[in-house]
Short mmCIF file of all heavy atoms in Angstrom, two decimals:
data_model
loop_
_atom_site.label_atom_id
_atom_site.label_comp_id
_atom_site.label_asym_id
_atom_site.label_seq_id
_atom_site.Cartn_x
_atom_site.Cartn_y
_atom_site.Cartn_z
N MET A 97 7.33 -16.84 -16.05
CA MET A 97 6.92 -16.09 -17.15
C MET A 97 6.65 -14.58 -16.75
O MET A 97 6.95 -13.71 -17.46
CB MET A 97 5.61 -16.70 -17.70
CG MET A 97 5.09 -15.96 -18.98
SD MET A 97 6.34 -16.29 -20.34
CE MET A 97 5.66 -15.47 -21.63
N ASN A 98 6.14 -14.41 -15.43
CA ASN A 98 5.89 -13.04 -14.97
C ASN A 98 7.25 -12.23 -14.82
O ASN A 98 7.35 -11.05 -15.11
CB ASN A 98 5.24 -13.08 -13.62
CG ASN A 98 3.75 -13.48 -13.75
OD1 ASN A 98 3.16 -13.32 -14.76
ND2 ASN A 98 3.16 -14.06 -12.72
N VAL A 99 8.26 -12.97 -14.40
CA VAL A 99 9.56 -12.32 -14.22
C VAL A 99 10.16 -11.84 -15.58
O VAL A 99 10.67 -10.79 -15.78
CB VAL A 99 10.61 -13.27 -13.53
CG1 VAL A 99 11.93 -12.70 -13.43
CG2 VAL A 99 10.07 -13.56 -12.11
N VAL A 100 10.03 -12.73 -16.56
CA VAL A 100 10.57 -12.36 -17.90
C VAL A 100 9.75 -11.20 -18.46
O VAL A 100 10.44 -10.31 -19.05
CB VAL A 100 10.40 -13.66 -18.85
CG1 VAL A 100 10.74 -13.25 -20.28
CG2 VAL A 100 11.31 -14.85 -18.38
N LEU A 101 8.46 -11.22 -18.32
CA LEU A 101 7.71 -10.05 -18.88
C LEU A 101 8.03 -8.75 -18.12
O LEU A 101 8.13 -7.75 -18.77
CB LEU A 101 6.24 -10.38 -18.70
CG LEU A 101 5.27 -9.55 -19.48
CD1 LEU A 101 5.65 -9.52 -20.94
CD2 LEU A 101 3.82 -10.01 -19.30
N THR A 102 8.27 -8.82 -16.84
CA THR A 102 8.69 -7.63 -16.11
C THR A 102 10.03 -7.14 -16.52
O THR A 102 10.24 -5.93 -16.68
CB THR A 102 8.68 -7.94 -14.61
OG1 THR A 102 7.38 -8.45 -14.17
CG2 THR A 102 9.06 -6.71 -13.81
N LEU A 103 11.01 -8.01 -16.87
CA LEU A 103 12.27 -7.67 -17.23
C LEU A 103 12.25 -7.10 -18.64
O LEU A 103 13.01 -6.18 -18.99
CB LEU A 103 13.24 -8.84 -17.23
CG LEU A 103 13.65 -9.32 -15.77
CD1 LEU A 103 14.52 -10.52 -15.94
CD2 LEU A 103 14.34 -8.17 -15.10
N VAL A 104 11.39 -7.54 -19.53
CA VAL A 104 11.20 -7.05 -20.84
C VAL A 104 10.75 -5.60 -20.71
O VAL A 104 11.24 -4.65 -21.44
CB VAL A 104 10.28 -7.88 -21.64
CG1 VAL A 104 9.85 -7.13 -23.00
CG2 VAL A 104 10.89 -9.27 -22.01
N PHE A 105 9.70 -5.35 -19.91
CA PHE A 105 9.30 -3.96 -19.65
C PHE A 105 10.35 -2.99 -19.21
O PHE A 105 10.50 -1.91 -19.50
CB PHE A 105 8.06 -3.96 -18.78
CG PHE A 105 6.78 -4.44 -19.41
CD1 PHE A 105 5.92 -5.17 -18.59
CD2 PHE A 105 6.40 -4.16 -20.68
CE1 PHE A 105 4.78 -5.66 -19.12
CE2 PHE A 105 5.23 -4.68 -21.24
CZ PHE A 105 4.34 -5.36 -20.43
N SER A 106 11.17 -3.60 -18.24
CA SER A 106 12.18 -2.82 -17.62
C SER A 106 13.35 -2.51 -18.56
O SER A 106 13.89 -1.35 -18.51
CB SER A 106 12.80 -3.66 -16.39
OG SER A 106 11.79 -3.81 -15.46
N ILE A 107 13.71 -3.34 -19.54
CA ILE A 107 14.85 -3.12 -20.46
C ILE A 107 14.38 -1.93 -21.35
O ILE A 107 15.26 -1.10 -21.63
CB ILE A 107 15.15 -4.36 -21.23
CG1 ILE A 107 15.75 -5.40 -20.39
CG2 ILE A 107 15.95 -4.10 -22.43
CD1 ILE A 107 15.99 -6.75 -20.95
N VAL A 108 13.11 -1.88 -21.71
CA VAL A 108 12.73 -0.82 -22.59
C VAL A 108 12.76 0.52 -21.89
O VAL A 108 13.23 1.58 -22.41
CB VAL A 108 11.22 -1.06 -23.11
CG1 VAL A 108 10.76 0.15 -23.83
CG2 VAL A 108 11.27 -2.34 -24.00
N MET A 109 12.43 0.49 -20.55
CA MET A 109 12.45 1.72 -19.73
C MET A 109 13.82 2.20 -19.32
O MET A 109 13.97 3.27 -18.85
CB MET A 109 11.61 1.48 -18.49
CG MET A 109 10.14 1.27 -18.74
SD MET A 109 9.41 2.47 -19.87
CE MET A 109 9.44 3.93 -18.87
N LEU A 110 14.84 1.51 -19.57
CA LEU A 110 16.20 1.90 -19.12
C LEU A 110 16.58 3.21 -19.86
O LEU A 110 17.16 4.04 -19.23
CB LEU A 110 17.27 0.81 -19.51
CG LEU A 110 17.43 -0.43 -18.65
CD1 LEU A 110 18.31 -1.46 -19.26
CD2 LEU A 110 17.90 0.09 -17.27
N PHE A 111 16.29 3.31 -21.11
CA PHE A 111 16.59 4.52 -21.88
C PHE A 111 15.86 5.76 -21.41
O PHE A 111 16.43 6.84 -21.29
CB PHE A 111 16.37 4.32 -23.38
CG PHE A 111 17.21 3.26 -23.95
CD1 PHE A 111 16.69 2.01 -24.36
CD2 PHE A 111 18.54 3.37 -24.07
CE1 PHE A 111 17.44 1.11 -24.87
CE2 PHE A 111 19.36 2.46 -24.62
CZ PHE A 111 18.78 1.18 -24.96
N PHE A 112 14.57 5.54 -20.98
CA PHE A 112 13.81 6.68 -20.48
C PHE A 112 14.06 7.09 -19.13
O PHE A 112 13.75 8.22 -18.71
CB PHE A 112 12.32 6.33 -20.66
CG PHE A 112 11.85 6.04 -22.06
CD1 PHE A 112 11.50 4.79 -22.54
CD2 PHE A 112 11.78 7.10 -22.99
CE1 PHE A 112 11.20 4.53 -23.83
CE2 PHE A 112 11.42 6.95 -24.27
CZ PHE A 112 11.06 5.61 -24.71
N MET A 113 14.71 6.27 -18.33
CA MET A 113 14.99 6.52 -16.93
C MET A 113 16.41 7.22 -16.70
O MET A 113 16.70 7.61 -15.61
CB MET A 113 14.88 5.26 -16.07
CG MET A 113 13.51 4.74 -16.00
SD MET A 113 12.44 5.99 -15.13
CE MET A 113 11.27 6.33 -16.39
N ILE A 114 17.18 7.45 -17.76
CA ILE A 114 18.46 8.01 -17.56
C ILE A 114 18.37 9.53 -17.10
O ILE A 114 19.06 9.80 -16.23
CB ILE A 114 19.27 7.96 -18.98
CG1 ILE A 114 19.68 6.49 -19.14
CG2 ILE A 114 20.54 8.82 -18.80
CD1 ILE A 114 20.25 6.26 -20.56
N PHE A 115 17.50 10.27 -17.70
CA PHE A 115 17.41 11.67 -17.35
C PHE A 115 16.87 11.84 -15.89
O PHE A 115 17.49 12.63 -15.20
CB PHE A 115 16.55 12.45 -18.32
CG PHE A 115 16.39 13.93 -18.01
CD1 PHE A 115 17.53 14.72 -18.34
CD2 PHE A 115 15.29 14.49 -17.53
CE1 PHE A 115 17.46 16.10 -18.03
CE2 PHE A 115 15.15 15.79 -17.30
CZ PHE A 115 16.29 16.62 -17.54
N PRO A 116 15.79 11.15 -15.53
CA PRO A 116 15.37 11.30 -14.14
C PRO A 116 16.41 10.86 -13.13
O PRO A 116 16.68 11.45 -12.06
CB PRO A 116 14.19 10.39 -14.03
CG PRO A 116 13.66 10.25 -15.38
CD PRO A 116 14.84 10.35 -16.27
N ALA A 117 17.17 9.81 -13.49
CA ALA A 117 18.36 9.36 -12.62
C ALA A 117 19.39 10.44 -12.47
O ALA A 117 19.95 10.68 -11.34
CB ALA A 117 18.87 8.06 -13.12
N MET A 118 19.77 11.13 -13.60
CA MET A 118 20.66 12.19 -13.46
C MET A 118 20.17 13.30 -12.56
O MET A 118 20.99 13.85 -11.77
CB MET A 118 20.90 12.71 -14.87
CG MET A 118 21.83 11.82 -15.79
SD MET A 118 22.05 12.29 -17.46
CE MET A 118 21.90 14.05 -17.59
N LYS A 119 19.00 13.67 -12.65
CA LYS A 119 18.40 14.73 -11.82
C LYS A 119 18.38 14.19 -10.34
O LYS A 119 18.65 15.09 -9.46
CB LYS A 119 16.97 15.07 -12.30
CG LYS A 119 17.04 15.79 -13.58
CD LYS A 119 17.80 17.11 -13.44
CE LYS A 119 17.74 17.89 -14.68
NZ LYS A 119 18.49 19.11 -14.56
N ILE A 120 18.16 13.01 -10.04
CA ILE A 120 18.10 12.43 -8.68
C ILE A 120 19.46 12.53 -8.14
O ILE A 120 19.67 12.93 -7.01
CB ILE A 120 17.44 11.05 -8.61
CG1 ILE A 120 16.00 11.13 -8.97
CG2 ILE A 120 17.71 10.42 -7.31
CD1 ILE A 120 15.23 9.84 -9.10
N VAL A 121 20.43 12.10 -8.88
CA VAL A 121 21.87 12.09 -8.42
C VAL A 121 22.33 13.50 -8.13
O VAL A 121 23.04 13.78 -7.23
CB VAL A 121 22.77 11.35 -9.34
CG1 VAL A 121 24.24 11.51 -9.00
CG2 VAL A 121 22.40 9.83 -9.40
N GLU A 122 21.98 14.43 -9.08
CA GLU A 122 22.35 15.85 -8.85
C GLU A 122 21.79 16.36 -7.54
O GLU A 122 22.35 17.17 -6.82
CB GLU A 122 21.96 16.70 -10.07
CG GLU A 122 22.73 16.50 -11.23
CD GLU A 122 22.16 17.31 -12.40
OE1 GLU A 122 21.31 18.07 -12.28
OE2 GLU A 122 22.77 17.18 -13.56
N TRP A 123 20.47 15.94 -7.34
CA TRP A 123 19.81 16.46 -6.06
C TRP A 123 20.48 15.89 -4.88
O TRP A 123 20.70 16.51 -3.79
CB TRP A 123 18.30 16.08 -6.15
CG TRP A 123 17.56 16.47 -4.90
CD1 TRP A 123 17.09 17.65 -4.66
CD2 TRP A 123 17.19 15.54 -3.88
NE1 TRP A 123 16.45 17.63 -3.46
CE2 TRP A 123 16.43 16.31 -2.93
CE3 TRP A 123 17.30 14.28 -3.65
CZ2 TRP A 123 15.97 15.80 -1.83
CZ3 TRP A 123 16.84 13.70 -2.48
CH2 TRP A 123 16.12 14.48 -1.57
N ILE A 124 20.76 14.57 -4.89
CA ILE A 124 21.59 13.96 -3.74
C ILE A 124 22.91 14.61 -3.56
O ILE A 124 23.34 14.92 -2.45
CB ILE A 124 21.71 12.48 -4.09
CG1 ILE A 124 20.34 11.75 -4.02
CG2 ILE A 124 22.64 11.85 -3.01
CD1 ILE A 124 20.37 10.25 -4.38
N ASP A 125 23.61 14.98 -4.68
CA ASP A 125 24.90 15.56 -4.61
C ASP A 125 24.85 16.96 -4.03
O ASP A 125 25.66 17.41 -3.33
CB ASP A 125 25.57 15.61 -5.96
CG ASP A 125 27.01 16.03 -5.87
OD1 ASP A 125 27.66 15.63 -4.91
OD2 ASP A 125 27.42 16.75 -6.76
N ALA A 126 23.69 17.64 -4.28
CA ALA A 126 23.53 18.93 -3.70
C ALA A 126 23.28 18.96 -2.25
O ALA A 126 23.76 19.85 -1.48
CB ALA A 126 22.33 19.72 -4.49
N ARG A 127 22.55 17.96 -1.82
CA ARG A 127 22.27 17.83 -0.30
C ARG A 127 23.39 17.22 0.43
O ARG A 127 23.63 17.66 1.50
CB ARG A 127 20.90 17.10 -0.09
CG ARG A 127 19.77 17.76 -0.77
CD ARG A 127 18.45 17.21 -0.33
NE ARG A 127 18.14 17.80 0.92
CZ ARG A 127 17.18 17.37 1.79
NH1 ARG A 127 16.40 16.39 1.29
NH2 ARG A 127 16.90 18.05 2.83
N TYR A 128 23.98 16.11 -0.08
CA TYR A 128 24.98 15.41 0.56
C TYR A 128 26.07 15.19 -0.40
O TYR A 128 25.98 14.35 -1.32
CB TYR A 128 24.52 13.99 1.02
CG TYR A 128 23.25 14.04 1.81
CD1 TYR A 128 22.06 13.71 1.32
CD2 TYR A 128 23.23 14.48 3.16
CE1 TYR A 128 20.88 13.75 2.03
CE2 TYR A 128 22.11 14.56 3.92
CZ TYR A 128 20.93 14.13 3.39
OH TYR A 128 19.81 14.21 4.09
N PRO A 129 27.15 15.99 -0.40
CA PRO A 129 28.27 15.80 -1.35
C PRO A 129 28.80 14.37 -1.45
O PRO A 129 29.16 13.80 -0.39
CB PRO A 129 29.39 16.80 -0.85
CG PRO A 129 28.59 17.67 0.05
CD PRO A 129 27.47 16.96 0.68
N ILE A 130 28.77 13.80 -2.58
CA ILE A 130 29.24 12.48 -2.82
C ILE A 130 30.57 12.56 -3.61
O ILE A 130 30.72 13.44 -4.38
CB ILE A 130 28.19 11.57 -3.53
CG1 ILE A 130 27.79 12.25 -4.89
CG2 ILE A 130 27.08 11.29 -2.66
CD1 ILE A 130 26.86 11.42 -5.67
N PRO A 131 31.47 11.62 -3.40
CA PRO A 131 32.73 11.62 -4.13
C PRO A 131 32.46 11.44 -5.72
O PRO A 131 31.51 10.76 -6.06
CB PRO A 131 33.55 10.49 -3.55
CG PRO A 131 32.89 10.14 -2.28
CD PRO A 131 31.43 10.58 -2.34
N GLU A 132 33.26 11.97 -6.45
CA GLU A 132 33.18 11.80 -7.85
C GLU A 132 33.27 10.43 -8.31
O GLU A 132 32.64 9.96 -9.29
CB GLU A 132 34.34 12.66 -8.56
CG GLU A 132 34.12 12.85 -9.99
CD GLU A 132 33.01 13.78 -10.41
OE1 GLU A 132 32.67 14.70 -9.60
OE2 GLU A 132 32.39 13.49 -11.40
N LYS A 133 34.02 9.58 -7.56
CA LYS A 133 34.09 8.12 -7.87
C LYS A 133 32.77 7.43 -7.79
O LYS A 133 32.55 6.47 -8.58
CB LYS A 133 35.08 7.51 -7.01
CG LYS A 133 35.54 6.16 -7.33
CD LYS A 133 36.57 5.61 -6.43
CE LYS A 133 36.96 4.23 -6.78
NZ LYS A 133 38.02 3.73 -5.91
N LEU A 134 31.90 7.83 -6.89
CA LEU A 134 30.61 7.17 -6.75
C LEU A 134 29.48 7.74 -7.52
O LEU A 134 28.39 7.27 -7.51
CB LEU A 134 30.29 7.24 -5.24
CG LEU A 134 31.12 6.45 -4.32
CD1 LEU A 134 30.72 6.61 -2.86
CD2 LEU A 134 31.17 4.89 -4.68
N TYR A 135 29.70 8.81 -8.31
CA TYR A 135 28.67 9.52 -9.08
C TYR A 135 28.15 8.60 -10.20
O TYR A 135 26.88 8.45 -10.14
CB TYR A 135 29.33 10.77 -9.69
CG TYR A 135 28.18 11.74 -10.12
CD1 TYR A 135 27.63 12.63 -9.26
CD2 TYR A 135 27.82 11.72 -11.46
CE1 TYR A 135 26.69 13.55 -9.67
CE2 TYR A 135 26.85 12.69 -11.87
CZ TYR A 135 26.33 13.61 -11.04
OH TYR A 135 25.39 14.45 -11.41
N ASN A 136 28.90 8.06 -10.99
CA ASN A 136 28.37 7.22 -12.06
C ASN A 136 27.76 5.90 -11.57
O ASN A 136 26.72 5.54 -12.04
CB ASN A 136 29.52 6.86 -13.08
CG ASN A 136 29.79 8.12 -13.92
OD1 ASN A 136 28.97 8.99 -14.04
ND2 ASN A 136 30.99 8.23 -14.41
N PRO A 137 28.43 5.19 -10.63
CA PRO A 137 27.78 3.88 -10.10
C PRO A 137 26.40 4.21 -9.43
O PRO A 137 25.52 3.40 -9.64
CB PRO A 137 28.75 3.38 -9.11
CG PRO A 137 30.07 3.92 -9.55
CD PRO A 137 29.77 5.29 -10.12
N LEU A 138 26.33 5.32 -8.71
CA LEU A 138 25.04 5.68 -8.10
C LEU A 138 23.90 5.93 -9.16
O LEU A 138 22.87 5.44 -9.05
CB LEU A 138 25.22 6.83 -7.16
CG LEU A 138 24.03 7.31 -6.37
CD1 LEU A 138 23.46 6.24 -5.52
CD2 LEU A 138 24.25 8.66 -5.66
N MET A 139 24.37 6.60 -10.28
CA MET A 139 23.40 6.87 -11.28
C MET A 139 22.95 5.63 -11.97
O MET A 139 21.76 5.40 -12.23
CB MET A 139 24.07 7.79 -12.33
CG MET A 139 22.98 8.31 -13.33
SD MET A 139 23.56 9.59 -14.45
CE MET A 139 24.56 8.54 -15.53
N ILE A 140 23.90 4.69 -12.28
CA ILE A 140 23.51 3.33 -12.83
C ILE A 140 22.55 2.59 -11.98
O ILE A 140 21.61 2.03 -12.48
CB ILE A 140 24.78 2.63 -13.14
CG1 ILE A 140 25.60 3.28 -14.33
CG2 ILE A 140 24.45 1.12 -13.54
CD1 ILE A 140 26.93 2.68 -14.56
N VAL A 141 22.80 2.54 -10.69
CA VAL A 141 21.91 1.92 -9.70
C VAL A 141 20.49 2.46 -9.76
O VAL A 141 19.55 1.74 -9.71
CB VAL A 141 22.53 1.82 -8.26
CG1 VAL A 141 21.55 1.31 -7.29
CG2 VAL A 141 23.79 0.97 -8.30
N ILE A 142 20.56 3.83 -9.78
CA ILE A 142 19.16 4.54 -9.68
C ILE A 142 18.44 4.22 -11.03
O ILE A 142 17.19 4.03 -11.02
CB ILE A 142 19.36 5.93 -9.39
CG1 ILE A 142 19.76 6.16 -7.93
CG2 ILE A 142 18.08 6.73 -9.66
CD1 ILE A 142 20.08 7.57 -7.58
N VAL A 143 19.13 4.25 -12.13
CA VAL A 143 18.50 3.95 -13.42
C VAL A 143 17.82 2.59 -13.42
O VAL A 143 16.70 2.33 -13.84
CB VAL A 143 19.55 4.08 -14.59
CG1 VAL A 143 18.97 3.48 -15.88
CG2 VAL A 143 19.85 5.45 -14.82
N ILE A 144 18.64 1.62 -12.89
CA ILE A 144 18.07 0.18 -12.86
C ILE A 144 16.97 0.08 -12.01
O ILE A 144 15.93 -0.54 -12.26
CB ILE A 144 19.24 -0.77 -12.49
CG1 ILE A 144 20.35 -0.82 -13.56
CG2 ILE A 144 18.71 -2.15 -12.16
CD1 ILE A 144 21.53 -1.59 -13.18
N LEU A 145 16.97 0.74 -10.73
CA LEU A 145 15.91 0.68 -9.77
C LEU A 145 14.60 1.37 -10.35
O LEU A 145 13.54 0.82 -10.23
CB LEU A 145 16.28 1.34 -8.47
CG LEU A 145 17.27 0.64 -7.62
CD1 LEU A 145 17.69 1.46 -6.41
CD2 LEU A 145 16.66 -0.74 -7.17
N LEU A 146 14.86 2.56 -11.02
CA LEU A 146 13.68 3.19 -11.58
C LEU A 146 13.01 2.39 -12.74
O LEU A 146 11.83 2.27 -12.82
CB LEU A 146 14.11 4.55 -12.08
CG LEU A 146 14.38 5.58 -11.13
CD1 LEU A 146 14.84 6.91 -11.80
CD2 LEU A 146 13.10 5.97 -10.32
N SER A 147 13.95 1.75 -13.56
CA SER A 147 13.30 0.98 -14.65
C SER A 147 12.65 -0.28 -14.13
O SER A 147 11.58 -0.64 -14.70
CB SER A 147 14.40 0.60 -15.66
OG SER A 147 15.36 -0.21 -15.13
N LEU A 148 13.14 -0.96 -13.10
CA LEU A 148 12.51 -2.12 -12.59
C LEU A 148 11.18 -1.66 -11.92
O LEU A 148 10.16 -2.39 -11.98
CB LEU A 148 13.38 -2.74 -11.54
CG LEU A 148 14.47 -3.63 -12.11
CD1 LEU A 148 15.39 -4.11 -10.92
CD2 LEU A 148 13.94 -4.81 -12.84
N THR A 149 11.20 -0.52 -11.31
CA THR A 149 9.88 -0.05 -10.65
C THR A 149 8.84 0.21 -11.74
O THR A 149 7.69 -0.20 -11.51
CB THR A 149 10.11 1.25 -9.84
OG1 THR A 149 11.24 1.01 -8.89
CG2 THR A 149 8.98 1.75 -9.14
N ILE A 150 9.19 0.90 -12.84
CA ILE A 150 8.28 1.07 -13.83
C ILE A 150 7.84 -0.16 -14.58
O ILE A 150 6.70 -0.40 -14.86
CB ILE A 150 8.83 2.12 -14.91
CG1 ILE A 150 9.13 3.45 -14.26
CG2 ILE A 150 7.88 2.26 -16.11
CD1 ILE A 150 7.90 4.15 -13.77
N GLY A 151 8.77 -1.18 -14.68
CA GLY A 151 8.39 -2.46 -15.20
C GLY A 151 7.48 -3.27 -14.48
O GLY A 151 6.57 -3.80 -14.94
N VAL A 152 7.64 -3.21 -13.12
CA VAL A 152 6.66 -3.85 -12.18
C VAL A 152 5.36 -3.18 -12.25
O VAL A 152 4.28 -3.85 -12.27
CB VAL A 152 7.27 -3.92 -10.80
CG1 VAL A 152 6.13 -4.26 -9.73
CG2 VAL A 152 8.41 -4.82 -10.70
N PHE A 153 5.37 -1.81 -12.30
CA PHE A 153 4.11 -1.03 -12.42
C PHE A 153 3.35 -1.42 -13.68
O PHE A 153 2.14 -1.64 -13.70
CB PHE A 153 4.34 0.41 -12.35
CG PHE A 153 3.13 1.26 -12.54
CD1 PHE A 153 2.19 1.40 -11.42
CD2 PHE A 153 2.92 1.92 -13.72
CE1 PHE A 153 1.08 2.12 -11.64
CE2 PHE A 153 1.81 2.71 -13.85
CZ PHE A 153 0.91 2.85 -12.86
N LEU A 154 4.12 -1.47 -14.73
CA LEU A 154 3.44 -1.81 -16.05
C LEU A 154 2.86 -3.21 -16.08
O LEU A 154 1.86 -3.53 -16.75
CB LEU A 154 4.46 -1.63 -17.24
CG LEU A 154 4.73 -0.15 -17.58
CD1 LEU A 154 5.86 -0.17 -18.64
CD2 LEU A 154 3.52 0.54 -18.13
N LYS A 155 3.61 -4.17 -15.37
CA LYS A 155 3.04 -5.49 -15.37
C LYS A 155 1.76 -5.70 -14.51
O LYS A 155 0.87 -6.36 -14.94
CB LYS A 155 4.21 -6.44 -14.87
CG LYS A 155 3.81 -7.91 -14.64
CD LYS A 155 3.52 -8.58 -15.88
CE LYS A 155 3.25 -9.99 -15.68
NZ LYS A 155 1.86 -10.38 -15.80
N TYR A 156 1.79 -5.03 -13.35
CA TYR A 156 0.73 -5.36 -12.42
C TYR A 156 -0.32 -4.31 -12.28
O TYR A 156 -1.25 -4.44 -11.48
CB TYR A 156 1.36 -5.66 -11.03
CG TYR A 156 2.14 -6.97 -11.06
CD1 TYR A 156 3.55 -6.88 -10.89
CD2 TYR A 156 1.55 -8.10 -11.14
CE1 TYR A 156 4.29 -8.06 -10.97
CE2 TYR A 156 2.31 -9.32 -11.16
CZ TYR A 156 3.66 -9.25 -11.08
OH TYR A 156 4.36 -10.38 -11.04
N ALA A 157 -0.09 -3.16 -12.93
CA ALA A 157 -1.18 -2.14 -12.90
C ALA A 157 -2.16 -2.21 -13.89
O ALA A 157 -2.13 -2.79 -14.93
CB ALA A 157 -0.52 -0.71 -12.86
#
């Protein structure tokens, strides 16, 4: 039940984490040039990680 509740919180946060993920990927690209092919997958991974982090925080904080 805890996992389901955490995932529900995380799904809602997916939309709100898109802009911070874009800024993080731009910052990474400015410091370490990444190929254009990896730009979108990196952003998707960061969006998922950020939303899971916020979901866990909302569940246990």
Side-chain angles (χ1 to χ4, degrees):
M97 188 66 180
N98 288 336
V99 174
V100 173
L101 195 55
T102 303
L103 289 176
V104 167
F105 287 142
S106 297
I107 289 171
V108 172
M109 294 309 296
L110 280 173
F111 298 109
F112 296 109
M113 291 296 117
I114 292 172
F115 183 72
M118 286 173 27
K119 290 297 180 182
I120 291 170
V121 171
E122 287 176 4
W123 179 77
I124 291 172
D125 190 36
R127 296 193 85 187
Y128 309 105
I130 56 175
E132 192 69 32
K133 187 177 183 180
L134 293 177
Y135 196 84
N136 287 337
L138 181 62
M139 190 174 74
I140 291 170
V141 167
I142 292 176
V143 166
I144 292 170
L145 288 175
L146 287 175
S147 65
L148 284 174
T149 303
I150 298 297
V152 168
F153 177 76
L154 288 173
K155 172 70 174 109
Y156 293 109

